[in-house]
Coordinates of all heavy atoms in Angstrom, one line a residue:
M1 N -17.8 -12.9 133.7 CA -17.1 -12.6 132.5 C -17.8 -11.5 131.7 O -17.1 -10.7 131.1 CB -17.0 -13.9 131.6 CG -15.8 -14.7 131.8 SD -15.6 -15.9 130.5 CE -15.7 -17.4 131.6
G2 N -19.1 -11.5 131.7 CA -19.8 -10.5 131.0 C -19.5 -9.1 131.5 O -19.4 -8.1 130.8
G3 N -19.4 -9.0 132.9 CA -19.1 -7.7 133.5 C -17.7 -7.2 133.0 O -17.5 -6.0 132.8
R4 N -16.7 -8.1 133.0 CA -15.4 -7.7 132.6 C -15.4 -7.3 131.1 O -14.8 -6.3 130.7 CB -14.4 -8.9 132.8 CG -13.0 -8.6 132.4 CD -12.3 -7.7 133.3 NE -10.9 -7.5 132.9 CZ -10.1 -6.6 133.3 NH1 -10.5 -5.7 134.2 NH2 -8.9 -6.5 132.9
Y5 N -16.1 -8.0 130.3 CA -16.2 -7.7 128.9 C -16.8 -6.3 128.7 O -16.3 -5.4 128.0 CB -17.0 -8.7 128.1 CG -17.2 -8.3 126.7 CD1 -16.2 -8.5 125.7 CD2 -18.4 -7.7 126.2 CE1 -16.4 -8.2 124.4 CE2 -18.6 -7.4 124.9 CZ -17.6 -7.6 124.0 OH -17.7 -7.2 122.7
N6 N -17.9 -6.0 129.4 CA -18.6 -4.7 129.3 C -17.6 -3.6 129.8 O -17.6 -2.5 129.2 CB -19.9 -4.7 130.1 CG -20.9 -5.6 129.5 OD1 -20.9 -5.8 128.3 ND2 -21.8 -6.0 130.3
L7 N -16.9 -3.8 130.9 CA -15.9 -2.8 131.4 C -14.9 -2.5 130.3 O -14.6 -1.3 130.0 CB -15.3 -3.3 132.6 CG -14.2 -2.4 133.2 CD1 -14.8 -1.1 133.7 CD2 -13.4 -3.1 134.2
L8 N -14.3 -3.5 129.8 CA -13.2 -3.3 128.8 C -13.7 -2.8 127.5 O -13.0 -2.0 126.8 CB -12.4 -4.6 128.6 CG -11.6 -5.1 129.8 CD1 -10.9 -6.4 129.4 CD2 -10.6 -4.1 130.3
N9 N -14.8 -3.3 127.0 CA -15.4 -2.9 125.7 C -16.0 -1.5 125.7 O -16.1 -0.8 124.7 CB -16.4 -3.9 125.3 CG -16.7 -3.9 123.8 OD1 -15.8 -3.7 123.0 ND2 -17.9 -4.0 123.4
G10 N -16.5 -1.1 126.9 CA -17.3 0.2 126.9 C -16.5 1.4 127.5 O -17.0 2.5 127.4
H11 N -15.3 1.2 127.9 CA -14.6 2.3 128.5 C -13.1 2.3 128.0 O -12.6 1.3 127.7 CB -14.5 2.1 130.1 CG -15.8 2.2 130.7 ND1 -16.6 1.1 130.9 CD2 -16.6 3.2 131.2 CE1 -17.7 1.4 131.5 NE2 -17.7 2.7 131.7
D12 N -12.6 3.5 128.0 CA -11.1 3.6 127.8 C -10.4 3.4 129.1 O -10.8 4.0 130.1 CB -10.8 5.0 127.3 CG -11.2 5.3 125.8 OD1 -11.3 4.3 125.1 OD2 -11.5 6.4 125.5
V13 N -9.5 2.5 129.1 CA -8.7 2.1 130.3 C -7.3 2.7 130.1 O -6.6 2.3 129.2 CB -8.6 0.6 130.4 CG1 -7.9 0.3 131.7 CG2 -10.0 0.0 130.4
H14 N -7.0 3.7 130.9 CA -5.8 4.5 130.7 C -4.8 4.3 131.9 O -5.3 4.1 133.0 CB -6.0 6.0 130.5 CG -6.8 6.3 129.3 ND1 -6.2 6.4 128.1 CD2 -8.1 6.5 129.1 CE1 -7.1 6.7 127.2 NE2 -8.3 6.8 127.8
F15 N -3.6 4.5 131.7 CA -2.6 4.5 132.7 C -2.2 5.9 133.2 O -1.9 6.1 134.3 CB -1.3 3.7 132.3 CG -1.3 2.3 132.4 CD1 -1.1 1.5 131.3 CD2 -1.6 1.6 133.6 CE1 -1.1 0.1 131.4 CE2 -1.7 0.3 133.8 CZ -1.4 -0.5 132.7
F16 N -2.1 6.8 132.2 CA -1.5 8.1 132.5 C -2.6 9.2 132.3 O -3.3 9.2 131.3 CB -0.3 8.3 131.6 CG 0.8 7.3 131.7 CD1 1.0 6.4 130.7 CD2 1.5 7.3 132.9 CE1 2.0 5.4 130.9 CE2 2.5 6.3 133.0 CZ 2.7 5.4 132.0
Y17 N -2.6 10.1 133.2 CA -3.5 11.2 133.2 C -2.8 12.5 133.4 O -1.7 12.6 134.0 CB -4.5 11.1 134.3 CG -5.4 9.9 134.2 CD1 -5.0 8.6 134.6 CD2 -6.7 10.0 133.6 CE1 -5.9 7.5 134.4 CE2 -7.5 9.0 133.4 CZ -7.1 7.7 133.8 OH -7.9 6.6 133.7
C18 N -3.3 13.6 132.8 CA -2.7 14.9 133.0 C -3.1 15.4 134.4 O -3.9 14.8 135.1 CB -3.2 15.9 131.9 SG -4.9 16.4 132.1
D19 N -2.5 16.6 134.8 CA -2.8 17.2 136.1 C -4.3 17.5 136.3 O -4.8 17.5 137.5 CB -2.0 18.4 136.3 CG -0.5 18.1 136.4 OD1 -0.1 17.0 136.8 OD2 0.3 19.0 136.2
A20 N -5.0 17.7 135.2 CA -6.4 18.0 135.4 C -7.3 16.7 135.5 O -8.5 16.8 135.7 CB -6.9 18.8 134.1
G21 N -6.6 15.6 135.4 CA -7.4 14.3 135.5 C -7.9 13.7 134.2 O -8.6 12.7 134.2
N22 N -7.5 14.3 133.1 CA -7.9 13.8 131.8 C -6.9 12.7 131.3 O -5.7 12.9 131.5 CB -8.0 14.9 130.8 CG -9.0 15.9 131.2 OD1 -10.1 15.6 131.7 ND2 -8.7 17.2 131.0
P23 N -7.4 11.6 130.7 CA -6.5 10.6 130.2 C -5.6 11.2 129.0 O -6.1 12.0 128.2 CB -7.4 9.5 129.7 CG -8.7 10.2 129.4 CD -8.8 11.4 130.4
L24 N -4.4 10.7 129.0 CA -3.5 11.1 128.0 C -3.4 10.0 126.9 O -3.3 8.9 127.2 CB -2.0 11.3 128.5 CG -1.9 12.5 129.5 CD1 -0.5 12.4 130.2 CD2 -2.1 13.8 128.9
S25 N -3.5 10.5 125.6 CA -3.3 9.5 124.6 C -1.8 9.3 124.3 O -1.0 10.0 124.7 CB -4.0 10.0 123.3 OG -3.2 11.1 122.8
I26 N -1.5 8.2 123.6 CA -0.1 7.9 123.3 C 0.6 9.0 122.5 O 1.7 9.2 122.7 CB 0.0 6.5 122.5 CG1 1.4 6.0 122.6 CG2 -0.6 6.6 121.1 CD1 1.5 4.6 122.2
E27 N -0.2 9.8 121.7 CA 0.4 10.9 121.0 C 0.8 12.0 121.9 O 1.6 12.8 121.5 CB -0.6 11.4 119.9 CG -0.9 10.4 118.8 CD -2.0 9.4 119.2 OE1 -2.8 9.6 120.2 OE2 -2.0 8.3 118.6
Q28 N 0.3 12.1 123.1 CA 0.6 13.2 124.0 C 1.8 12.9 124.9 O 2.2 13.7 125.7 CB -0.7 13.5 124.8 CG -1.8 14.1 124.0 CD -3.1 14.2 124.9 OE1 -3.6 13.2 125.4 NE2 -3.5 15.4 125.1
I29 N 2.3 11.7 124.8 CA 3.4 11.3 125.7 C 4.7 11.1 124.9 O 4.7 10.4 123.9 CB 3.0 9.9 126.3 CG1 1.8 10.1 127.2 CG2 4.2 9.4 127.2 CD1 1.2 8.9 127.8
D30 N 5.7 11.8 125.3 CA 7.0 11.8 124.7 C 7.9 10.7 125.2 O 8.8 10.3 124.4 CB 7.7 13.2 124.8 CG 7.0 14.3 124.1 OD1 6.3 14.0 123.1 OD2 7.1 15.4 124.6
D31 N 7.8 10.3 126.4 CA 8.6 9.3 127.0 C 8.5 7.9 126.3 O 7.4 7.4 126.3 CB 8.3 9.2 128.5 CG 9.1 8.2 129.2 OD1 10.1 7.7 128.7 OD2 8.8 7.9 130.4
P32 N 9.5 7.4 125.7 CA 9.4 6.1 125.0 C 9.0 5.0 125.9 O 8.3 4.0 125.5 CB 10.8 5.9 124.4 CG 11.7 6.8 125.0 CD 10.9 7.9 125.6
Y33 N 9.5 5.0 127.2 CA 9.1 3.9 128.1 C 7.6 3.9 128.4 O 6.9 2.9 128.3 CB 9.8 4.1 129.4 CG 9.5 3.1 130.5 CD1 9.9 1.8 130.4 CD2 8.7 3.5 131.6 CE1 9.5 0.9 131.3 CE2 8.3 2.5 132.5 CZ 8.7 1.2 132.4 OH 8.4 0.3 133.4
R34 N 7.0 5.1 128.6 CA 5.6 5.2 128.8 C 4.8 4.9 127.6 O 3.7 4.2 127.6 CB 5.2 6.6 129.3 CG 5.7 6.8 130.7 CD 5.2 8.2 131.3 NE 5.7 8.3 132.6 CZ 5.4 9.3 133.4 NH1 4.4 10.2 133.0 NH2 5.9 9.4 134.6
R35 N 5.3 5.2 126.4 CA 4.6 4.9 125.2 C 4.6 3.4 125.0 O 3.6 2.8 124.5 CB 5.3 5.5 124.0 CG 5.1 7.0 123.9 CD 5.9 7.7 122.8 NE 5.3 7.3 121.5 CZ 4.4 8.0 120.8 NH1 4.0 9.1 121.2 NH2 4.0 7.5 119.6
G36 N 5.7 2.7 125.4 CA 5.8 1.3 125.3 C 4.8 0.6 126.3 O 4.1 -0.4 125.9
I37 N 4.6 1.2 127.5 CA 3.7 0.6 128.4 C 2.3 0.7 127.8 O 1.5 -0.2 127.9 CB 3.8 1.4 129.8 CG1 5.0 1.0 130.5 CG2 2.5 1.1 130.6 CD1 5.3 1.8 131.7
I38 N 1.9 1.8 127.2 CA 0.6 2.0 126.6 C 0.4 1.0 125.5 O -0.7 0.4 125.4 CB 0.4 3.5 126.1 CG1 0.3 4.4 127.4 CG2 -0.8 3.6 125.3 CD1 0.4 5.8 127.0
A39 N 1.4 0.8 124.6 CA 1.3 -0.1 123.5 C 1.1 -1.5 124.0 O 0.2 -2.3 123.5 CB 2.5 0.0 122.6
V40 N 1.8 -1.9 125.0 CA 1.6 -3.3 125.6 C 0.3 -3.4 126.2 O -0.4 -4.4 126.1 CB 2.8 -3.6 126.6 CG1 2.5 -4.9 127.4 CG2 4.1 -3.7 125.8
H41 N -0.1 -2.4 127.0 CA -1.4 -2.4 127.6 C -2.6 -2.5 126.6 O -3.5 -3.3 126.8 CB -1.6 -1.1 128.4 CG -2.9 -1.0 129.1 ND1 -3.9 -0.2 128.7 CD2 -3.4 -1.7 130.2 CE1 -5.0 -0.3 129.5 NE2 -4.7 -1.2 130.4
D42 N -2.5 -1.8 125.5 CA -3.5 -1.8 124.5 C -3.6 -3.2 123.8 O -4.7 -3.7 123.6 CB -3.3 -0.8 123.4 CG -3.5 0.6 123.9 OD1 -4.1 0.8 125.0 OD2 -3.1 1.6 123.1
A43 N -2.4 -3.8 123.6 CA -2.4 -5.2 123.0 C -3.0 -6.2 124.0 O -3.7 -7.1 123.6 CB -1.0 -5.6 122.7
E44 N -2.7 -6.0 125.3 CA -3.2 -6.9 126.3 C -4.8 -6.8 126.4 O -5.5 -7.8 126.5 CB -2.6 -6.6 127.7 CG -3.1 -7.4 128.8 CD -2.6 -7.0 130.2 OE1 -1.8 -6.1 130.2 OE2 -3.0 -7.6 131.2
I45 N -5.3 -5.6 126.4 CA -6.7 -5.4 126.4 C -7.4 -6.0 125.1 O -8.4 -6.7 125.2 CB -7.1 -3.9 126.5 CG1 -6.6 -3.3 127.8 CG2 -8.6 -3.7 126.3 CD1 -7.2 -4.0 129.1
A46 N -6.8 -5.8 124.0 CA -7.3 -6.4 122.7 C -7.3 -7.9 122.8 O -8.3 -8.6 122.4 CB -6.5 -5.9 121.5
A47 N -6.3 -8.5 123.4 CA -6.2 -10.0 123.5 C -7.3 -10.5 124.5 O -7.9 -11.5 124.3 CB -4.8 -10.4 123.9
E48 N -7.4 -9.8 125.6 CA -8.4 -10.2 126.6 C -9.8 -10.1 126.0 O -10.7 -10.9 126.2 CB -8.3 -9.4 127.8 CG -9.2 -9.8 129.0 CD -9.0 -9.2 130.3 OE1 -8.1 -8.4 130.4 OE2 -9.8 -9.4 131.2
L49 N -10.1 -9.0 125.3 CA -11.4 -8.9 124.6 C -11.7 -10.0 123.6 O -12.8 -10.5 123.6 CB -11.5 -7.5 123.9 CG -11.8 -6.3 124.9 CD1 -11.7 -5.0 124.1 CD2 -13.2 -6.4 125.5
D50 N -10.7 -10.4 122.9 CA -10.8 -11.5 121.9 C -11.2 -12.8 122.7 O -12.0 -13.6 122.3 CB -9.5 -11.7 121.1 CG -9.3 -10.7 120.0 OD1 -10.3 -10.0 119.7 OD2 -8.2 -10.6 119.5
W51 N -10.4 -13.0 123.8 CA -10.7 -14.2 124.6 C -12.1 -14.2 125.2 O -12.8 -15.2 125.2 CB -9.6 -14.3 125.7 CG -9.9 -15.5 126.6 CD1 -9.6 -16.8 126.4 CD2 -10.4 -15.4 127.9 NE1 -10.0 -17.6 127.5 CE2 -10.5 -16.7 128.4 CE3 -10.9 -14.4 128.7 CZ2 -11.0 -17.0 129.7 CZ3 -11.4 -14.7 130.0 CH2 -11.4 -16.0 130.5
L52 N -12.5 -13.0 125.8 CA -13.8 -12.9 126.4 C -14.9 -13.1 125.3 O -15.9 -13.8 125.6 CB -14.0 -11.6 127.0 CG -13.2 -11.4 128.4 CD1 -13.2 -9.9 128.8 CD2 -13.9 -12.2 129.5
R53 N -14.7 -12.6 124.1 CA -15.7 -12.8 123.0 C -15.8 -14.3 122.8 O -17.0 -14.8 122.6 CB -15.3 -12.1 121.8 CG -15.6 -10.6 121.8 CD -15.3 -10.0 120.5 NE -15.1 -8.5 120.6 CZ -14.0 -7.9 120.7 NH1 -12.8 -8.5 120.6 NH2 -14.0 -6.6 120.9
S54 N -14.7 -15.0 122.7 CA -14.8 -16.5 122.4 C -15.5 -17.2 123.5 O -16.2 -18.1 123.3 CB -13.4 -17.0 122.1 OG -12.6 -17.1 123.3
M55 N -15.2 -16.8 124.8 CA -15.8 -17.5 125.9 C -17.3 -17.2 126.0 O -18.1 -18.0 126.4 CB -15.1 -17.1 127.2 CG -13.7 -17.5 127.3 SD -13.5 -19.3 127.2 CE -14.2 -19.8 128.7
L56 N -17.7 -16.0 125.6 CA -19.1 -15.6 125.8 C -19.9 -15.8 124.5 O -21.1 -15.5 124.4 CB -19.2 -14.1 126.1 CG -18.6 -13.7 127.5 CD1 -18.4 -12.2 127.7 CD2 -19.4 -14.3 128.6
G57 N -19.2 -16.3 123.4 CA -19.9 -16.5 122.1 C -20.3 -15.2 121.5 O -21.4 -15.2 120.8
I58 N -19.6 -14.2 121.6 CA -19.8 -12.9 121.0 C -19.0 -12.7 119.7 O -17.8 -12.9 119.8 CB -19.5 -11.7 122.0 CG1 -20.4 -11.8 123.2 CG2 -19.7 -10.4 121.3 CD1 -20.0 -10.9 124.3
E59 N -19.6 -12.4 118.6 CA -18.9 -12.2 117.4 C -18.2 -10.8 117.5 O -18.7 -9.8 118.0 CB -19.8 -12.1 116.2 CG -19.1 -12.1 114.9 CD -20.1 -12.2 113.7 OE1 -21.2 -12.9 113.9 OE2 -19.8 -11.7 112.6
D60 N -16.9 -10.8 117.0 CA -16.1 -9.6 117.0 C -16.8 -8.5 116.1 O -17.0 -8.7 114.9 CB -14.7 -9.9 116.5 CG -13.8 -8.7 116.6 OD1 -14.2 -7.6 116.9 OD2 -12.6 -8.9 116.4
E61 N -17.2 -7.4 116.7 CA -17.9 -6.3 115.9 C -17.0 -5.8 114.8 O -17.6 -5.4 113.8 CB -18.3 -5.2 116.9 CG -19.3 -5.6 117.9 CD -18.7 -6.1 119.2 OE1 -17.4 -5.9 119.4 OE2 -19.4 -6.7 120.0
S62 N -15.7 -5.7 114.9 CA -14.9 -5.2 113.9 C -14.8 -6.1 112.7 O -14.7 -5.6 111.6 CB -13.5 -4.9 114.4 OG -12.8 -6.1 114.8
V63 N -15.0 -7.4 112.9 CA -15.0 -8.3 111.8 C -16.4 -8.3 111.1 O -16.5 -8.5 109.9 CB -14.6 -9.7 112.2 CG1 -14.8 -10.8 111.1 CG2 -13.2 -9.7 112.8
A64 N -17.4 -8.2 111.9 CA -18.8 -8.3 111.4 C -19.2 -7.1 110.5 O -20.1 -7.2 109.7 CB -19.8 -8.4 112.6
Q65 N -18.5 -6.0 110.6 CA -18.9 -4.8 109.8 C -18.3 -4.8 108.5 O -17.5 -5.2 108.0 CB -18.5 -3.5 110.6 CG -19.4 -3.4 111.8 CD -19.0 -2.2 112.7 OE1 -18.1 -1.4 112.3 NE2 -19.6 -2.1 113.8

């Protein structure tokens, strides 16, 4: 579990990349379907991080500050 938490918490996890291999932000994508995929993905990652924090006994850094 700790490895998964470190992976999700320490890296940007992207679906879409430009031709040069750089990740595209939601602001760079015009297609509403792809924007929706990114929004759902971001919510999924946030929920998984919350769950992992509760399982690992880690306090949410955004709340602690």
Side-chain angles (χ1 to χ4, degrees):
M1 263 191 248
R4 178 72 176 166
Y5 176 79
N6 290 336
L7 174 71
L8 294 178
N9 196 44
H11 297 90
D12 288 330
V13 184
H14 295 280
F15 277 125
F16 302 109
Y17 293 83
C18 71
D19 291 338
N22 299 318
L24 295 172
S25 69
I26 196 167
E27 294 81 20
Q28 296 172 294
I29 297 175
D30 294 331
D31 180 9
Y33 177 73
R34 289 184 181 192
R35 289 177 68 98
I37 289 173
I38 292 171
V40 169
H41 179 256
D42 289 349
E44 180 183 358
I45 296 299
E48 186 173 353
L49 282 169
D50 286 344
W51 176 76
L52 286 166
R53 283 186 198 100
S54 71
M55 295 301 293
L56 296 169
I58 298 171
E59 188 175 330
D60 187 353
E61 295 88 14
S62 65
V63 174
Q65 294 177 3

